[in-house]
C-alpha cells in the first residue's frame, strides 16, 4: 500500500538536527527492503522497485512493517512465508519494531506481539481476534507503545505513530517541525479513538474548532467547559458531545494533553524552572504539572529535560 510505505519516508526523512554541529542534517537514514530486491506489486496501478534485500535489517535501529493485502498475506489466515519469517528473524536484540495498520498481523504471526497490547485497523479487528485470540487487541486506539514494539491503526494513524517515535527520539520541537513540513497535526495521543465519528463538521453545522483555537491561546489560565461551550454557542452537553465527535476525546483530556505538549517545548527550549512553567501553561502548581507530565510522558520533567538538553535531571 504506497501511502503507508511513503509516509514512513516522508516523516522520518524530514526530521532534521535543529541546532549545533550538523544543524539541518538528517536524523534518520531510511531504507526500504523486501524479502528480495526487485519489483513489489501494490494495491495501486503501479509497482515499487525495491533495491535492497532483507540483509539491511541486520544493522537497523528501527524496523517498520507497513500494511499489505491480497492472497497469501498473514491477514488472510496463512502463515508467514519462509522468506518473510527469515527476514524478521534478522531483527537483532534491542531493535525497535513498529507496524502500521494490518502490519500488526505480520508481527503477531512472528510471535512479536506475545504478551503485549496491540492495535490494528478497526475493520480488521475481528479477523485479528479470530486469528490471534491469545493476544491483547485494543481496536479503539490510534497506536500502542510497548517500548520496543509499537503498533498503529489505519493509514493516518501511521503518521501519528511516526511522529510519536520522532518525539520520543528527538523531542517535541523536532516532531513539530516534521509535522509542519508535512502539514499534519503535530500530536494526537495514542489512546485517542481511531474512528472519529465527525472529523469534518457537516455543511451548515457548528464546529468546536474555534473554541479549541481559543483555548490554545489561553492555556496559561483556567479554561472552563462553560467558556468553551459559550464560544461555540452551544450548551455544555451539546458541546461535549460534538467535541468528542470531532476530536476523539473529552475536552478535559484534550486540554491536559495540549498543556503537556506545551510543557515539552518549554523544557526543551528554555531554562525556566518547572514551577514557573506550571504557571505558564495553566497547571497552577509544579506538583500538578509533574503529576500530569509523568502520567502522559512516563518520566519526570527533569528527566525529560536532561534527555533532550543534556545534563543531570533536576525537578
Amino acid at each position: 500500500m504506497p501511502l503507508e510505505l511513503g509516509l514512513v519516508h516522508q516523516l522520518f526523512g524530514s526530521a532534521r538536527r535543529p541546532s549545533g554541529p550538523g544543524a539541518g542534517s538528517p536524523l534518520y537514514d531510511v531504507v526500504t527492503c523486501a524479502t528480495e530486491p526487485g519489483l513489489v506489486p501494490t494495491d495501486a496501478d503501479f509497482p515499487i522497485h525495491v533495491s535492497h534485500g532483507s540483509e539491511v535489517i541486520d544493522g537497523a535501529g528501527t524496523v517498520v512493517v507497513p500494511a499489505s493485502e491480497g492472497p497469501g498475506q498473514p491477514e488472510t489466515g496463512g502463515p508467514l512465508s519462509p522468506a518473510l519469517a527469515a527476514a524478521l528473524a534478522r531483527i537483532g536484540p534491542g531493535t525497535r519494531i513498529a507496524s502500521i495498520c494490518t502490519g500488526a498481523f505480520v508481527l503477531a504471526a512472528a510471535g512479536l506481539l506475545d504478551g503485549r497490547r496491540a492495535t490494528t485497523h478497526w475493520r480488521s479487528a475481528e479477523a485479528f481476534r479470530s486469528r490471534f485470540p491469545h493476544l491483547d487487541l485494543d481496536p479503539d486506539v490510534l497506536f500502542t507503545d510497548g517500548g520496543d514494539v509499537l503498533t498503529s491503526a489505519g493509514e493516518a494513524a501511521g503518521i501519528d505513530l511516526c511522529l510519536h517515535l520522532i518525539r520520543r527520539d528527538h523531542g517535541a520541537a523536532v516532531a513539530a517541525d516534521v509535522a509542519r513540513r508535512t502539514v499534519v497535526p503535530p500530536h494526537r495521543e495514542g489512546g485517542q479513538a481511531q474512528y472519529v465519528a465527525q472529523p469534518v463538521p457537516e455543511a451548515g453545522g457548528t464546529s468546536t474548532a474555534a473554541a479549541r483555537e481559543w483555548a490554545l491561546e489561553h492555556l496559561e489560565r483556567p479554561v472552563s467547559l462553560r467558556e468553551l461551550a459559550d464560544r461555540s454557542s452551544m450548551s455544555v452537553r451539546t458541546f461535549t458531545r460534538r467535541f468528542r465527535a470531532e476530536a476523539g476525546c473529552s475536552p478535559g483530556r484534550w486540554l491536559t494533553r495540549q498543556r503537556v505538549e506545551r510543557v515539552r517545548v518549554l523544557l526543551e527550549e528554555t531554562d525556566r524552572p518547572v514551577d514557573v512553567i506550571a504557571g505558564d501553561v495553566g497547571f497552577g502548581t509544579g506538583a500538578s504539572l509533574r503529576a500530569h507530565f509523568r502520567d502522559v510522558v512516563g518520566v519526570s520533567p527533569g528527566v525529560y529535560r536532561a534527555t533532550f538538553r543534556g545534563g543531570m535531571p533536576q525537578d
Side-chain angles (χ1 to χ4, degrees):
M1 303 178 74
L3 173 60
E4 302 193 12
L5 179 61
L7 67 86
V8 176
H9 282 268
Q10 172 65 30
L11 294 163
F12 287 106
S14 296
R16 295 287 187 268
R17 192 173 303 280
S19 60
S25 60
L27 287 167
Y28 298 94
D29 180 19
V30 187
V31 178
T32 300
C33 74
T35 52
E36 59 181 57
L39 288 179
V40 176
T42 73
D43 67 343
D45 64 343
F46 56 85
I48 294 173
H49 185 272
V50 180
S51 300
H52 303 283
S54 59
E55 70 280 353
V56 299
I57 292 176
D58 294 345
T62 299
V63 173
V64 182
V65 179
S68 58
E69 58 183 22
Q73 297 301 327
E75 186 180 356
T76 66
L80 296 179
S81 69
L84 181 53
L88 295 173
R90 303 184 79 127
I91 299 175
T95 301
R96 187 168 59 186
I97 308 164
S99 67
I100 299 176
C101 194
T102 56
F105 282 78
V106 176
L107 302 192
L112 296 171
L113 296 180
D114 290 353
R116 300 177 183 272
R117 176 169 161 265
T119 194
T120 189
H121 194 290
W122 61 270
R123 292 182 62 182
S124 301
E126 288 309 311
F128 190 97
R129 284 198 177 103
S130 177
R131 176 91 192 281
F132 309 106
H134 62 291
L135 295 182
D136 180 13
L137 179 73
D138 187 345
D140 298 322
V141 299
L142 291 178
F143 60 84
T144 63
D145 181 351
D148 58 342
V149 179
L150 304 92
T151 62
S152 66
E155 292 92 335
I159 296 175
D160 298 301
L161 177 62
C162 291
L163 288 173
H164 172 71
L165 289 172
I166 294 169
R167 188 179 298 106
R168 262 182 45 177
D169 293 344
H170 301 291
V174 172
D177 180 64
V178 172
R180 282 193 298 271
R181 290 171 182 264
T182 316
V183 196
V184 296
H187 184 85
R188 291 196 299 171
E189 62 179 296
Q192 183 170 317
Q194 63 170 277
Y195 179 69
V196 180
Q198 191 179 348
V200 179
E202 297 176 356
T206 305
S207 169
T208 64
R212 295 198 298 274
E213 183 177 353
W214 177 85
L216 289 175
E217 295 172 355
H218 296 84
L219 287 180
E220 75 285 352
R221 59 180 287 270
V223 176
S224 70
L225 191 55
R226 177 74 267 170
E227 282 183 291
L228 294 174
D230 286 346
R231 291 200 164 266
S232 298
S233 301
M234 302 178 193
S235 67
V236 169
R237 182 176 180 179
T238 298
F239 176 84
T240 301
R241 174 172 48 81
R242 191 156 297 176
F243 189 101
R244 186 178 291 275
E246 292 180 9
C249 61
S250 69
R253 186 175 181 181
W254 181 86
L255 274 170
T256 296
R257 171 58 71 175
Q258 303 312 312
R259 288 185 167 119
V260 168
E261 289 305 304
R262 185 71 57 82
V263 171
R264 285 182 189 258
V265 174
L266 291 173
L267 289 173
E268 293 175 27
E269 299 184 349
T270 76
D271 295 315
R272 297 173 72 78
V274 170
D275 288 346
V276 174
I277 291 176
D280 293 339
V281 303
F283 277 131
T285 67
S288 175
L289 183 155
R290 290 180 179 91
H292 285 297
F293 194 88
R294 183 178 289 275
D295 183 57
V296 173
V297 182
V299 298
S300 71
V303 169
Y304 184 88
R305 173 173 267 166
T307 299
F308 292 106
R309 300 198 69 196
M312 296 295 293
Q314 295 181 351
D315 279 328

